[in-house]
């Protein structure tokens, strides 16, 4: 079967890696589990070993009969684009464990959906492009640190579990991969002004090379910025990439 490049069809070839991904979700029998993009089922088989209530979403119509034949009556297979299904409707009910060897071209919109629906998921185990994994795990001050780091980490504890070299996929992609586990952050910081927190992150990183002041000056008055700097004790001559989460929260709460 010809692989569809546009669908990110790089299939994992090593069952022991698939077994490690499935094990990372700590699935109990009967638990509700989702898999995105089962492909020809290498990870699906390992997930099913834990006897969950599995729903898998696969966009490539040709793979549906292949999967149904491999795993008769063992899962609910939905032929759909995961970005287009009704998440509000489908996530009703028990907290879900989500696993995926992700088609990399849907990473950004999928992370946005997980951010919105995080309450419906107890554990998420994703194989992602290594570079994206580095961004999600980055610390303030590093090149990989950015808006997506802050947005995801204010909700999730994100653990980098292990790397997977490109050679373990067929066809071999141009990038290496990494497996991450997302769980709810035990104590989420309280934001007085969540909208402003998200706006500040977006504006602050709009141009990475610019100082905060320059990124913010067309959105706030000079007096506002002067007062913000004085009240927070945070210099607006700094760049967004040097600010940690607590400093962004301080600024957002004051604005
Ligand atoms: N899980 C398999 C494995 O580990 O070998 C396949 C992973 S492959 C990287 C990604 C899979 O996601 C492919 O089977 C592809 O057809 C499917 N896919 C791509 N875009 C999708 C989408 N928007 N919704 C659901 N499935 C999608």
């Amino acid at each position: 079967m010809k692989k569809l490049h546009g669908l990110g069809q790089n299939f994992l070839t090593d069952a022991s890696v698939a077994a490690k991904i499935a094990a990372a979700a700590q699935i109990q029998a009967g638990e509700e589990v989702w898999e995105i993009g089962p492909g020809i089922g290498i990870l699906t088989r390992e997930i099913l070993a834990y006897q969950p209530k599995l729903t898998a979403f696969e966009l490539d119509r040709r793979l549906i009969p292949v999967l149904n034949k491999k795993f008769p009556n063992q899962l609910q297979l939905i032929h759909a684009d995961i970005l287009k299904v009704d998440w509000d409707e489908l996530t009703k009910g028990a907290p879900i464990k989500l696993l995926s060897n992700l088609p990399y071209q849907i990473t950004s919109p999928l992370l946005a959906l997980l951010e919105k629906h995080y309450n419906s998921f107890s554990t998420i185990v994703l194989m992602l492009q290594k570079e994206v994994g580095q961004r999600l795990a980055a610390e303030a001050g590093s090149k990989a640190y950015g808006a997506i780091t802050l947005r995801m980490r204010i909700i999730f504890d994100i653990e980098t579990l292990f790397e997977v070299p490109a050679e373990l996929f067929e066809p071999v992609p141009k990038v290496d991969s990494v497996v991450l586990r997302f769980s709810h952050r035990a104590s989420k910081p309280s934001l007085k002004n969540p909208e402003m927190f998200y706006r500040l992150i977006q504006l602050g990183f709009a141009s990475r090379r610019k100082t905060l002041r320059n990124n913010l000056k067309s959105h706030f008055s000079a007096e506002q910025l002067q007062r913000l700097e004085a009240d927070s004790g945070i210099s607006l001559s700094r760049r967004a990439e040097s600010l940690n989460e607590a400093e962004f929260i301080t600024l957002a709460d004051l604005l």
Side-chain angles (χ1 to χ4, degrees):
M1 191 181 293
K2 194 174 176 310
K3 305 271 173 27
L4 299 179
H5 182 67
L7 294 190
Q9 290 186 340
N10 301 93
F11 293 158
L12 186 62
T13 55
D14 187 328
S16 70
V17 173
K20 270 169 76 179
I21 297 174
Q26 294 158 345
I27 300 165
Q28 307 292 319
E31 269 185 336
E32 183 123 13
V33 174
W34 280 16
E35 186 189 0
I36 299 171
I40 53 171
I42 189 166
L43 176 58
T44 318
R45 183 178 297 286
E46 302 299 333
I47 296 172
L48 284 171
Y50 294 93
Q51 301 181 307
K53 195 166 156 267
L54 177 61
T55 304
F57 301 86
E58 175 53 61
L59 180 53
D60 186 347
R61 181 188 302 279
R62 303 168 310 162
L63 296 171
I64 304 298
V66 177
L67 290 159
N68 273 326
K69 196 166 165 212
K70 262 192 192 167
F71 310 112
N73 305 318
Q74 292 176 61
L75 74 162
Q76 185 193 10
L77 196 54
I78 300 185
H79 171 227
D81 181 340
I82 190 64
L83 303 179
K84 295 194 179 143
V85 298
D86 184 344
W87 281 59
D88 286 325
E89 188 57 37
L90 286 164
T91 54
K92 275 186 195 153
I96 301 162
K97 289 190 169 168
L98 170 65
L99 296 93
S100 180
N101 169 9
L102 217 58
Y104 293 162
Q105 75 284 1
I106 69 165
T107 305
S108 297
L110 187 84
L111 290 178
L113 279 163
L114 294 178
E115 197 183 344
K116 182 164 171 219
H117 293 276
Y118 74 93
N119 255 329
S120 302
F121 297 91
S122 56
T123 305
I124 300 167
V125 180
L126 297 182
M127 173 129 66
L128 297 154
Q129 190 175 331
K130 191 173 156 187
E131 185 216 351
V132 178
Q134 285 166 339
R135 283 208 260 148
L136 294 175
E139 294 305 330
S142 69
K143 238 173 85 184
Y145 182 74
I148 189 74
T149 321
L150 284 152
R151 292 186 71 107
M152 297 305 286
R153 290 246 296 275
I154 196 142
I155 305 171
F156 296 112
D157 275 331
I158 303 180
E159 296 162 82
T160 303
L161 300 183
F162 54 92
E163 293 185 9
V164 183
E167 300 74 57
L168 295 188
F169 296 86
E170 166 50 38
V172 176
K174 290 197 182 73
V175 292
D176 290 322
S177 297
V178 66
V179 176
L180 303 182
R181 177 168 52 207
F182 301 61
S183 40
H184 286 206
R185 209 166 134 168
S187 55
K188 291 193 186 61
S190 66
L191 301 175
K192 279 197 209 125
N193 191 346
E195 272 171 38
M196 186 56 80
F197 175 77
Y198 288 106
R199 186 158 173 235
L200 257 188
I201 293 174
Q202 192 205 342
L203 296 175
F205 283 99
S207 188
R208 285 187 78 93
R209 305 297 305 157
K210 286 190 183 168
T211 62
L212 275 173
R213 184 178 294 99
N214 281 341
N215 272 328
L216 299 180
K217 71 181 180 195
S218 50
H219 303 272
F220 301 95
S221 69
E223 296 77 58
Q224 264 180 313
L225 294 182
Q226 216 169 17
R227 200 163 355 107
L228 181 64
E229 192 164 42
D231 293 349
S232 67
I234 296 169
S235 164
L236 298 185
S237 304
R238 289 169 61 186
R239 293 192 184 127
E241 66 194 32
S242 78
L243 265 65
N244 62 26
E245 179 190 89
E247 289 173 312
F248 271 108
I249 294 174
T250 301
L251 293 179
D253 285 353
L254 284 167
L255 266 168

